[in-house]
Amino acid sequence: MSSIPAGFEPHFRKSPFTDPWEPLYAKTTDKAVILGLRLATPHTNSRGLIHGGLIAALADNAMGYSCAQALGWETSLVTINLAVDYIGSAGIGQWLSVESDVIKSGRTVCFVQSLVLADEAVIARANATFRVVPKTA
């Protein structure tokens, strides 16, 4: 139950927003940054199922990191639009992963989509548009 799939390492970026959900894991491929975590009580609603807000937040993060990677980590990104379709659920102990695919990236916008999986079964799909902005010091 506590095993982490091969290739995942502790997530390289920390945030006050995601701190309550730690430990988070990341797996970097040549095309995307995949986020993952083992579902636990802080990730659930009152029925013990994964909270939709967690799905949306992790999808937003994974898609943003994947766009950043596609752009060589040289810019920052802000979410313009995020849409999530919830098509299943998951419970405590399941491995959740968010796998993204950058559709198109350019100088001003990046389009990306993702699938959210629980133990390899699709439970949501998401898509987003990000604004590419210069990095601040």
Short mmCIF file of all heavy atoms in Angstrom, two decimals, residues 17-18 21 35 37 39 43 50-65 79 81-86 96-98 100 112 114-117 123-128 130:
data_model
loop_
_atom_site.label_atom_id
_atom_site.label_comp_id
_atom_site.label_asym_id
_atom_site.label_seq_id
_atom_site.Cartn_x
_atom_site.Cartn_y
_atom_site.Cartn_z
N PHE A 17 0.59 25.81 -0.69
CA PHE A 17 -0.72 25.27 -1.05
C PHE A 17 -0.73 23.74 -1.02
O PHE A 17 -1.68 23.12 -0.57
CB PHE A 17 -1.13 25.78 -2.43
CG PHE A 17 -2.49 25.30 -2.87
CD1 PHE A 17 -3.63 25.72 -2.22
CD2 PHE A 17 -2.62 24.43 -3.94
CE1 PHE A 17 -4.89 25.29 -2.61
CE2 PHE A 17 -3.86 23.99 -4.35
CZ PHE A 17 -5.01 24.42 -3.69
N THR A 18 0.36 23.13 -1.51
CA THR A 18 0.39 21.66 -1.60
C THR A 18 1.02 21.00 -0.38
O THR A 18 0.95 19.77 -0.25
CB THR A 18 1.14 21.21 -2.87
OG1 THR A 18 2.47 21.73 -2.85
CG2 THR A 18 0.41 21.67 -4.13
N TRP A 21 -0.67 18.14 1.48
CA TRP A 21 -0.87 16.89 0.74
C TRP A 21 0.39 16.05 0.64
O TRP A 21 0.38 14.98 0.03
CB TRP A 21 -1.38 17.18 -0.67
CG TRP A 21 -2.63 18.01 -0.69
CD1 TRP A 21 -3.62 18.03 0.25
CD2 TRP A 21 -3.01 18.93 -1.70
NE1 TRP A 21 -4.60 18.91 -0.11
CE2 TRP A 21 -4.25 19.49 -1.31
CE3 TRP A 21 -2.43 19.35 -2.88
CZ2 TRP A 21 -4.93 20.43 -2.07
CZ3 TRP A 21 -3.11 20.29 -3.64
CH2 TRP A 21 -4.34 20.82 -3.24
N LEU A 35 2.81 13.95 -11.93
CA LEU A 35 2.72 14.05 -10.47
C LEU A 35 2.01 12.82 -9.93
O LEU A 35 1.12 12.27 -10.59
CB LEU A 35 1.95 15.31 -10.05
CG LEU A 35 2.62 16.64 -10.35
CD1 LEU A 35 1.78 17.79 -9.79
CD2 LEU A 35 4.02 16.70 -9.78
N LEU A 37 0.80 10.62 -6.01
CA LEU A 37 0.74 10.52 -4.56
C LEU A 37 -0.10 9.31 -4.17
O LEU A 37 -0.92 8.82 -4.94
CB LEU A 37 0.17 11.78 -3.91
CG LEU A 37 -1.29 12.14 -4.18
CD1 LEU A 37 -2.18 11.63 -3.05
CD2 LEU A 37 -1.44 13.64 -4.28
N LEU A 39 -2.98 8.12 -2.00
CA LEU A 39 -4.13 8.79 -1.39
C LEU A 39 -4.24 8.44 0.10
O LEU A 39 -4.15 7.28 0.48
CB LEU A 39 -5.41 8.43 -2.11
CG LEU A 39 -5.54 8.99 -3.53
CD1 LEU A 39 -6.79 8.45 -4.21
CD2 LEU A 39 -5.55 10.50 -3.50
N HIS A 43 -6.55 13.84 1.66
CA HIS A 43 -6.88 14.00 0.24
C HIS A 43 -8.36 13.74 -0.04
O HIS A 43 -8.79 13.79 -1.20
CB HIS A 43 -6.05 13.03 -0.61
CG HIS A 43 -4.60 13.09 -0.33
ND1 HIS A 43 -3.86 11.96 -0.07
CD2 HIS A 43 -3.74 14.14 -0.25
CE1 HIS A 43 -2.60 12.31 0.15
NE2 HIS A 43 -2.51 13.62 0.06
N ILE A 50 -11.55 10.63 -2.91
CA ILE A 50 -10.71 11.75 -3.32
C ILE A 50 -11.56 12.99 -3.56
O ILE A 50 -12.63 12.92 -4.16
CB ILE A 50 -9.86 11.39 -4.56
CG1 ILE A 50 -8.88 12.51 -4.87
CG2 ILE A 50 -10.75 11.06 -5.74
CD1 ILE A 50 -7.87 12.16 -5.94
N HIS A 51 -11.07 14.12 -3.09
CA HIS A 51 -11.80 15.38 -3.24
C HIS A 51 -11.55 15.94 -4.64
O HIS A 51 -10.41 15.95 -5.13
CB HIS A 51 -11.34 16.38 -2.19
CG HIS A 51 -12.24 17.54 -2.05
ND1 HIS A 51 -12.28 18.57 -2.97
CD2 HIS A 51 -13.16 17.85 -1.10
CE1 HIS A 51 -13.18 19.45 -2.60
NE2 HIS A 51 -13.73 19.05 -1.46
N GLY A 52 -12.60 16.41 -5.30
CA GLY A 52 -12.48 16.98 -6.63
C GLY A 52 -11.55 18.17 -6.70
O GLY A 52 -10.89 18.40 -7.71
N GLY A 53 -11.48 18.94 -5.62
CA GLY A 53 -10.57 20.09 -5.59
C GLY A 53 -9.12 19.66 -5.66
O GLY A 53 -8.29 20.34 -6.26
N LEU A 54 -8.81 18.53 -5.04
CA LEU A 54 -7.44 18.00 -5.11
C LEU A 54 -7.12 17.59 -6.54
O LEU A 54 -6.03 17.89 -7.05
CB LEU A 54 -7.28 16.80 -4.18
CG LEU A 54 -5.93 16.10 -4.26
CD1 LEU A 54 -4.84 16.95 -3.61
CD2 LEU A 54 -5.99 14.74 -3.59
N ILE A 55 -8.05 16.93 -7.19
CA ILE A 55 -7.85 16.52 -8.58
C ILE A 55 -7.56 17.75 -9.44
O ILE A 55 -6.61 17.78 -10.22
CB ILE A 55 -9.06 15.75 -9.12
CG1 ILE A 55 -9.17 14.39 -8.43
CG2 ILE A 55 -8.99 15.60 -10.64
CD1 ILE A 55 -10.45 13.63 -8.75
N ALA A 56 -8.38 18.79 -9.30
CA ALA A 56 -8.21 20.00 -10.10
C ALA A 56 -6.86 20.67 -9.82
O ALA A 56 -6.15 21.07 -10.75
CB ALA A 56 -9.36 20.98 -9.84
N ALA A 57 -6.51 20.78 -8.55
CA ALA A 57 -5.25 21.44 -8.19
C ALA A 57 -4.04 20.67 -8.70
O ALA A 57 -3.10 21.27 -9.24
CB ALA A 57 -5.16 21.62 -6.68
N LEU A 58 -4.04 19.36 -8.55
CA LEU A 58 -2.90 18.57 -9.01
C LEU A 58 -2.81 18.56 -10.54
O LEU A 58 -1.72 18.61 -11.10
CB LEU A 58 -2.97 17.15 -8.47
CG LEU A 58 -2.71 17.02 -6.97
CD1 LEU A 58 -2.87 15.57 -6.53
CD2 LEU A 58 -1.35 17.56 -6.58
N ALA A 59 -3.97 18.52 -11.21
CA ALA A 59 -3.95 18.59 -12.67
C ALA A 59 -3.39 19.93 -13.13
O ALA A 59 -2.57 19.99 -14.05
CB ALA A 59 -5.36 18.37 -13.23
N ASP A 60 -3.81 21.02 -12.49
CA ASP A 60 -3.30 22.35 -12.82
C ASP A 60 -1.78 22.39 -12.65
O ASP A 60 -1.06 22.88 -13.51
CB ASP A 60 -3.99 23.38 -11.92
CG ASP A 60 -3.60 24.81 -12.25
OD1 ASP A 60 -3.70 25.21 -13.42
OD2 ASP A 60 -3.20 25.53 -11.32
N ASN A 61 -1.29 21.85 -11.53
CA ASN A 61 0.15 21.82 -11.29
C ASN A 61 0.88 20.99 -12.32
O ASN A 61 1.89 21.43 -12.90
CB ASN A 61 0.45 21.27 -9.89
CG ASN A 61 0.28 22.29 -8.80
OD1 ASN A 61 0.28 23.48 -9.04
ND2 ASN A 61 0.11 21.83 -7.59
N ALA A 62 0.42 19.77 -12.56
CA ALA A 62 1.11 18.87 -13.49
C ALA A 62 1.13 19.45 -14.90
O ALA A 62 2.15 19.38 -15.60
CB ALA A 62 0.45 17.49 -13.49
N MET A 63 0.02 20.04 -15.32
CA MET A 63 -0.03 20.61 -16.66
C MET A 63 0.87 21.84 -16.77
O MET A 63 1.56 22.03 -17.77
CB MET A 63 -1.47 20.93 -17.06
CG MET A 63 -2.30 19.67 -17.29
SD MET A 63 -3.96 19.98 -17.94
CE MET A 63 -4.76 20.72 -16.52
N GLY A 64 0.90 22.66 -15.72
CA GLY A 64 1.78 23.83 -15.72
C GLY A 64 3.24 23.44 -15.78
O GLY A 64 4.02 24.02 -16.54
N TYR A 65 3.63 22.44 -14.97
CA TYR A 65 5.02 21.97 -15.00
C TYR A 65 5.36 21.38 -16.37
O TYR A 65 6.47 21.56 -16.86
CB TYR A 65 5.28 20.93 -13.92
CG TYR A 65 5.20 21.47 -12.51
CD1 TYR A 65 4.55 20.76 -11.53
CD2 TYR A 65 5.79 22.68 -12.17
CE1 TYR A 65 4.46 21.24 -10.23
CE2 TYR A 65 5.71 23.17 -10.88
CZ TYR A 65 5.04 22.46 -9.91
OH TYR A 65 4.96 22.93 -8.64
N THR A 79 -2.32 30.24 -15.07
CA THR A 79 -3.48 29.56 -15.65
C THR A 79 -4.47 30.58 -16.19
O THR A 79 -4.91 31.46 -15.46
CB THR A 79 -4.16 28.67 -14.60
OG1 THR A 79 -3.18 27.82 -14.00
CG2 THR A 79 -5.26 27.84 -15.23
N ASN A 81 -7.19 29.20 -18.21
CA ASN A 81 -8.41 28.39 -18.20
C ASN A 81 -8.07 26.99 -17.73
O ASN A 81 -7.01 26.45 -18.08
CB ASN A 81 -9.02 28.34 -19.60
CG ASN A 81 -10.32 27.58 -19.61
OD1 ASN A 81 -11.27 27.95 -18.94
ND2 ASN A 81 -10.37 26.50 -20.37
N LEU A 82 -8.97 26.40 -16.95
CA LEU A 82 -8.81 25.02 -16.48
C LEU A 82 -10.18 24.37 -16.50
O LEU A 82 -11.14 24.93 -15.96
CB LEU A 82 -8.24 25.01 -15.06
CG LEU A 82 -8.19 23.66 -14.34
CD1 LEU A 82 -7.18 22.73 -15.00
CD2 LEU A 82 -7.85 23.86 -12.87
N ALA A 83 -10.28 23.22 -17.13
CA ALA A 83 -11.53 22.46 -17.15
C ALA A 83 -11.23 21.03 -16.73
O ALA A 83 -10.24 20.44 -17.16
CB ALA A 83 -12.14 22.47 -18.55
N VAL A 84 -12.09 20.48 -15.89
CA VAL A 84 -11.92 19.11 -15.40
C VAL A 84 -13.23 18.36 -15.58
O VAL A 84 -14.29 18.86 -15.21
CB VAL A 84 -11.51 19.09 -13.91
CG1 VAL A 84 -11.31 17.65 -13.44
CG2 VAL A 84 -10.27 19.92 -13.66
N ASP A 85 -13.14 17.17 -16.14
CA ASP A 85 -14.27 16.25 -16.23
C ASP A 85 -14.01 15.11 -15.28
O ASP A 85 -13.01 14.41 -15.41
CB ASP A 85 -14.43 15.70 -17.66
CG ASP A 85 -14.74 16.79 -18.67
OD1 ASP A 85 -15.61 17.64 -18.38
OD2 ASP A 85 -14.11 16.80 -19.74
N TYR A 86 -14.90 14.93 -14.30
CA TYR A 86 -14.75 13.86 -13.31
C TYR A 86 -15.53 12.65 -13.81
O TYR A 86 -16.74 12.73 -14.02
CB TYR A 86 -15.29 14.32 -11.95
CG TYR A 86 -14.57 15.54 -11.44
CD1 TYR A 86 -15.08 16.83 -11.65
CD2 TYR A 86 -13.37 15.43 -10.77
CE1 TYR A 86 -14.41 17.95 -11.18
CE2 TYR A 86 -12.69 16.54 -10.29
CZ TYR A 86 -13.22 17.80 -10.51
OH TYR A 86 -12.56 18.90 -10.04
N LEU A 96 -2.42 7.72 -7.08
CA LEU A 96 -2.97 8.71 -8.00
C LEU A 96 -1.84 9.28 -8.82
O LEU A 96 -0.79 9.63 -8.29
CB LEU A 96 -3.65 9.84 -7.21
CG LEU A 96 -4.37 10.86 -8.09
CD1 LEU A 96 -5.76 10.35 -8.41
CD2 LEU A 96 -4.43 12.20 -7.41
N SER A 97 -2.04 9.38 -10.13
CA SER A 97 -1.05 10.03 -10.99
C SER A 97 -1.77 10.94 -11.98
O SER A 97 -2.91 10.68 -12.37
CB SER A 97 -0.18 9.01 -11.73
OG SER A 97 -0.95 8.22 -12.58
N VAL A 98 -1.08 12.03 -12.34
CA VAL A 98 -1.60 12.99 -13.31
C VAL A 98 -0.61 13.03 -14.46
O VAL A 98 0.52 13.47 -14.31
CB VAL A 98 -1.78 14.39 -12.70
CG1 VAL A 98 -2.41 15.33 -13.73
CG2 VAL A 98 -2.62 14.33 -11.43
N SER A 100 0.27 14.29 -18.23
CA SER A 100 -0.08 15.39 -19.13
C SER A 100 0.53 15.24 -20.51
O SER A 100 1.52 14.54 -20.70
CB SER A 100 0.40 16.72 -18.52
OG SER A 100 -0.20 16.92 -17.26
N VAL A 112 -2.53 22.37 -22.99
CA VAL A 112 -2.15 21.06 -22.44
C VAL A 112 -3.39 20.31 -21.97
O VAL A 112 -4.41 20.92 -21.62
CB VAL A 112 -1.11 21.25 -21.30
CG1 VAL A 112 -1.69 22.06 -20.17
CG2 VAL A 112 -0.54 19.96 -20.83
N SER A 114 -4.59 16.48 -19.73
CA SER A 114 -4.08 15.42 -18.86
C SER A 114 -5.16 14.42 -18.52
O SER A 114 -6.35 14.69 -18.65
CB SER A 114 -3.51 16.01 -17.56
OG SER A 114 -4.53 16.56 -16.78
N LEU A 115 -4.68 13.25 -18.10
CA LEU A 115 -5.55 12.22 -17.54
C LEU A 115 -5.12 12.02 -16.09
O LEU A 115 -3.93 12.01 -15.78
CB LEU A 115 -5.40 10.90 -18.30
CG LEU A 115 -5.92 10.88 -19.74
CD1 LEU A 115 -5.65 9.52 -20.38
CD2 LEU A 115 -7.41 11.21 -19.79
N VAL A 116 -6.11 11.87 -15.22
CA VAL A 116 -5.86 11.59 -13.81
C VAL A 116 -6.24 10.13 -13.59
O VAL A 116 -7.36 9.73 -13.91
CB VAL A 116 -6.70 12.52 -12.90
CG1 VAL A 116 -6.40 12.24 -11.44
CG2 VAL A 116 -6.43 13.98 -13.26
N LEU A 117 -5.28 9.36 -13.09
CA LEU A 117 -5.49 7.92 -12.91
C LEU A 117 -5.37 7.52 -11.45
O LEU A 117 -4.53 8.06 -10.72
CB LEU A 117 -4.46 7.14 -13.72
CG LEU A 117 -4.49 7.39 -15.23
CD1 LEU A 117 -3.43 8.38 -15.61
CD2 LEU A 117 -4.28 6.11 -15.96
N ILE A 123 -9.83 8.44 -13.81
CA ILE A 123 -10.93 8.96 -12.99
C ILE A 123 -11.28 10.40 -13.35
O ILE A 123 -12.30 10.91 -12.91
CB ILE A 123 -10.64 8.84 -11.48
CG1 ILE A 123 -9.42 9.67 -11.08
CG2 ILE A 123 -10.49 7.38 -11.07
CD1 ILE A 123 -9.30 9.88 -9.58
N ALA A 124 -10.43 11.07 -14.14
CA ALA A 124 -10.72 12.43 -14.58
C ALA A 124 -9.85 12.77 -15.78
O ALA A 124 -8.81 12.15 -16.00
CB ALA A 124 -10.46 13.44 -13.45
N ARG A 125 -10.32 13.75 -16.52
CA ARG A 125 -9.50 14.31 -17.58
C ARG A 125 -9.58 15.82 -17.42
O ARG A 125 -10.57 16.37 -16.92
CB ARG A 125 -9.96 13.88 -18.96
CG ARG A 125 -11.31 14.42 -19.35
CD ARG A 125 -11.72 13.99 -20.72
NE ARG A 125 -13.04 14.56 -21.00
CZ ARG A 125 -13.69 14.40 -22.12
NH1 ARG A 125 -13.15 13.68 -23.09
NH2 ARG A 125 -14.85 14.95 -22.30
N ALA A 126 -8.51 16.48 -17.80
CA ALA A 126 -8.45 17.93 -17.64
C ALA A 126 -7.75 18.55 -18.84
O ALA A 126 -6.98 17.88 -19.53
CB ALA A 126 -7.69 18.29 -16.36
N ASN A 127 -8.05 19.81 -19.08
CA ASN A 127 -7.30 20.56 -20.07
C ASN A 127 -7.16 21.98 -19.56
O ASN A 127 -7.96 22.45 -18.75
CB ASN A 127 -7.96 20.49 -21.46
CG ASN A 127 -9.32 21.12 -21.48
OD1 ASN A 127 -9.44 22.34 -21.45
ND2 ASN A 127 -10.37 20.31 -21.54
N ALA A 128 -6.11 22.64 -20.02
CA ALA A 128 -5.84 23.98 -19.55
C ALA A 128 -5.12 24.79 -20.61
O ALA A 128 -4.49 24.25 -21.53
CB ALA A 128 -4.99 23.94 -18.28
N PHE A 130 -2.42 28.07 -20.52
CA PHE A 130 -1.56 28.87 -19.66
C PHE A 130 -1.00 30.05 -20.41
O PHE A 130 -0.64 29.93 -21.60
CB PHE A 130 -0.37 28.01 -19.14
CG PHE A 130 -0.79 26.95 -18.18
CD1 PHE A 130 -1.15 25.69 -18.63
CD2 PHE A 130 -0.82 27.19 -16.82
CE1 PHE A 130 -1.52 24.69 -17.75
CE2 PHE A 130 -1.20 26.20 -15.92
CZ PHE A 130 -1.55 24.96 -16.39
#
